[in-house]
Amino acid sequence: MALKDTIQTLMTQMEGLKAANAEELEALRIKYLSKKGEITALFNEFRSVPAEEKRELGQLLNHLRQTAETRINDLREKINDQMAGDQSVNDLTRTPDPIALGTRHPLSLVREEIEEIFSRIGFTIAQGPEVEDDKHVYGMLNFAPEHPARDMQDTFFIEKEIGVQKPTDVLLRSHTSSVQTRVMTSQKPPIRVLCPGRVYRNEAISARAHCFFHQVEGLYIDKNVSFADLREALLYFSKEMFGPETKIRLRPSYFPFTEPSAEMDISCNICGGTGCSFCKGTGWVEILGCGMVDPNVLEACGIDSKVYSGFAFGMGVERITNLKYRVKDLRLFSENDVRFLRQFESC
Ligand code: PHE
């Protein structure tokens, strides 16, 4: 038979190719496509075809081989599917594989606990954008124009046009105090809000620092708010969070947006205040910054500082989580290693 006719006959055979199981299928593969298979043999025959017929016959032959391969692969998939189906109907009483549930992230657990404690004394949640402008992050918060926190060393400024490195006033917020300025300019006192969220700073990543972390800041503005109110609110929070024996200590500090300002330590909840390696033998660990809202900030946000006063505080969620769960390396929080995350399953 001429080569062309043989190709046509085999082509017709391909349409009706059938295999009931893997063995029959393998027999078909050997019959047509193996080294000694019928289609392979035609390629040998093809070598002696006259030059003027090569083009047409070559195309037909390639098409035949492709059709055979596709057909055999389709049959293989069908047989595999059948086998999988057979297995699942074998035992209808088989317990299904359980759907693997994830666990809450430790930072979410701790953030929610902080929110819950402050909600008991009347704080509600406020949120704002992570991509902010200079005015809300620094300007209205009484940062001097040359304050180093505005410097590109500490803050991620956003380029307005890609590739154009000009200083802009668009940046990733470096604290959630920006949400406080947004609340103060859009609401009238009394104000009692908690501002949780992610913040960004240009830090080299290590066990103790990261270029992003999470904060919860708080703001309370009303008539006659005093430093004693600040102290009582923070003492209440510390006892609820770390246990009723917890003591607090306020040390004078400086923030542009509060006056007076303080840093708050709690008695070390690991050694109970007797001194250990965690608290470097001092018995105290620093957990937050706070102070009375600077009158300049109130005025910049359109609140009359002669009528109203207020306090603010801000803490890092990672730090509180470290204290509660003793996580030694900050990087674990963002690596999403399930071996780490699973440890908080029962918290
Ligand atoms: N915004 C400060 C920080 O990010 C924390 C803070 C908030 C301090 C409110 C005082 C009052 O470090």
Side-chain angles (χ1 to χ4, degrees), residues 33-51:
L33 292 170
S34 69
K35 262 195 177 159
K36 292 191 178 136
E38 290 177 28
I39 294 175
T40 320
L42 296 187
F43 275 90
N44 297 334
E45 217 175 293
F46 175 73
R47 283 200 211 116
S48 48
V49 169

Side-chain angles (χ1 to χ4, degrees), residues 235-337:
L235 180 61
Y236 170 75
F237 163 71
S238 305
K239 284 175 182 280
E240 291 294 305
M241 192 77 194
F242 297 105
E245 320 75 32
T246 310
K247 294 186 195 63
I248 62 167
R249 169 173 97 166
L250 290 157
R251 284 179 288 106
S253 184
Y254 172 78
F255 297 103
F257 35 89
T258 46
E259 181 62 34
S261 304
E263 232 128 9
M264 190 184 90
D265 302 335
I266 57 163
S267 50
C268 178
N269 74 325
I270 291 169
C271 62
T274 52
C276 67
S277 62
F278 190 85
C279 61
K280 300 198 186 81
T282 62
W284 296 97
V285 276
E286 184 195 317
I287 65 161
L288 56 80
C290 59
M292 301 307 290
V293 180
D294 192 302
N296 287 346
V297 173
L298 295 175
E299 296 295 335
C301 295
I303 294 172
D304 189 342
S305 63
K306 288 183 198 71
V307 181
Y308 292 103
S309 56
F311 67 69
F313 58 86
M315 65 186 101
V317 183
E318 279 80 350
R319 178 136 186 87
I320 308 287
T321 311
N322 286 352
L323 273 170
K324 272 206 93 125
Y325 298 116
R326 289 159 220 189
V327 178
K328 290 213 182 75
D329 191 327
L330 209 56
R331 290 169 290 199
L332 286 165
F333 289 125
S334 49
E335 278 170 359
N336 282 340
D337 186 331

Side-chain angles (χ1 to χ4, degrees), residues 92-346:
L92 292 176
T93 62
R94 195 169 64 101
T95 314
D97 290 338
I99 297 168
L101 276 185
T103 51
R104 305 295 317 280
H105 193 283
L107 294 178
S108 305
L109 291 170
V110 170
R111 173 182 44 78
E112 279 176 18
E113 196 176 344
I114 300 169
E115 289 171 1
E116 206 268 317
I117 294 170
F118 280 104
S119 77
R120 285 185 236 144
I121 50 173
F123 283 80
T124 54
I125 308 292
Q127 279 180 330
E130 291 182 19
V131 181
E132 258 292 6
D133 55 28
D134 184 276
K135 196 171 78 183
H136 287 92
V137 181
Y138 300 126
M140 294 165 105
L141 286 163
N142 202 33
F143 279 81
E146 298 306 322
H147 195 281
R150 288 169 181 253
D151 203 297
M152 281 191 159
Q153 304 304 313
D154 302 320
T155 308
F156 292 112
F157 285 88
I158 311 277
E159 292 162 21
K160 273 192 184 136
E161 284 170 56
I162 294 171
V164 180
Q165 290 189 336
K166 267 192 242 145
T168 68
D169 64 349
V170 183
L171 49 106
L172 296 180
R173 66 183 181 193
S174 54
H175 54 182
T176 58
S177 305
S178 54
V179 184
Q180 304 187 352
T181 47
R182 287 194 174 269
V183 170
M184 283 189 275
T185 45
S186 62
Q187 290 176 27
K188 297 234 163 318
I191 290 170
R192 216 182 303 183
V193 288
L194 213 55
C195 312
R198 183 176 290 181
V199 299
Y200 302 83
R201 291 185 194 179
N202 192 6
E203 301 267 358
I205 298 170
S206 71
R208 316 198 82 223
H210 210 297
C211 58
F212 65 81
F213 61 99
H214 299 79
Q215 282 189 328
V216 176
E217 296 210 351
L219 174 72
Y220 176 33
I221 296 173
D222 204 344
K223 290 177 180 152
N224 302 319
V225 177
S226 72
F227 200 88
D229 297 318
L230 167 63
R231 187 186 178 279
E232 282 309 300
L234 294 179
L235 180 61
Y236 170 75
F237 163 71
S238 305
K239 284 175 182 280
E240 291 294 305
M241 192 77 194
F242 297 105
E245 320 75 32
T246 310
K247 294 186 195 63
I248 62 167
R249 169 173 97 166
L250 290 157
R251 284 179 288 106
S253 184
Y254 172 78
F255 297 103
F257 35 89
T258 46
E259 181 62 34
S261 304
E263 232 128 9
M264 190 184 90
D265 302 335
I266 57 163
S267 50
C268 178
N269 74 325
I270 291 169
C271 62
T274 52
C276 67
S277 62
F278 190 85
C279 61
K280 300 198 186 81
T282 62
W284 296 97
V285 276
E286 184 195 317
I287 65 161
L288 56 80
C290 59
M292 301 307 290
V293 180
D294 192 302
N296 287 346
V297 173
L298 295 175
E299 296 295 335
C301 295
I303 294 172
D304 189 342
S305 63
K306 288 183 198 71
V307 181
Y308 292 103
S309 56
F311 67 69
F313 58 86
M315 65 186 101
V317 183
E318 279 80 350
R319 178 136 186 87
I320 308 287
T321 311
N322 286 352
L323 273 170
K324 272 206 93 125
Y325 298 116
R326 289 159 220 189
V327 178
K328 290 213 182 75
D329 191 327
L330 209 56
R331 290 169 290 199
L332 286 165
F333 289 125
S334 49
E335 278 170 359
N336 282 340
D337 186 331
V338 285
R339 290 169 299 183
F340 169 71
L341 297 173
R342 285 257 177 243
Q343 294 175 34
F344 300 88
E345 208 153 13
S346 57

Side-chain angles (χ1 to χ4, degrees), residues 9-36:
T9 316
L10 285 173
M11 214 42 196
T12 330
Q13 284 181 21
M14 287 309 121
E15 279 159 29
L17 225 54
K18 274 198 196 85
N21 52 42
E23 288 80 46
E24 282 184 32
L25 184 69
E26 181 59 6
L28 287 179
R29 193 193 62 79
I30 291 169
K31 179 167 169 8
Y32 293 109
L33 292 170
S34 69
K35 262 195 177 159
K36 292 191 178 136

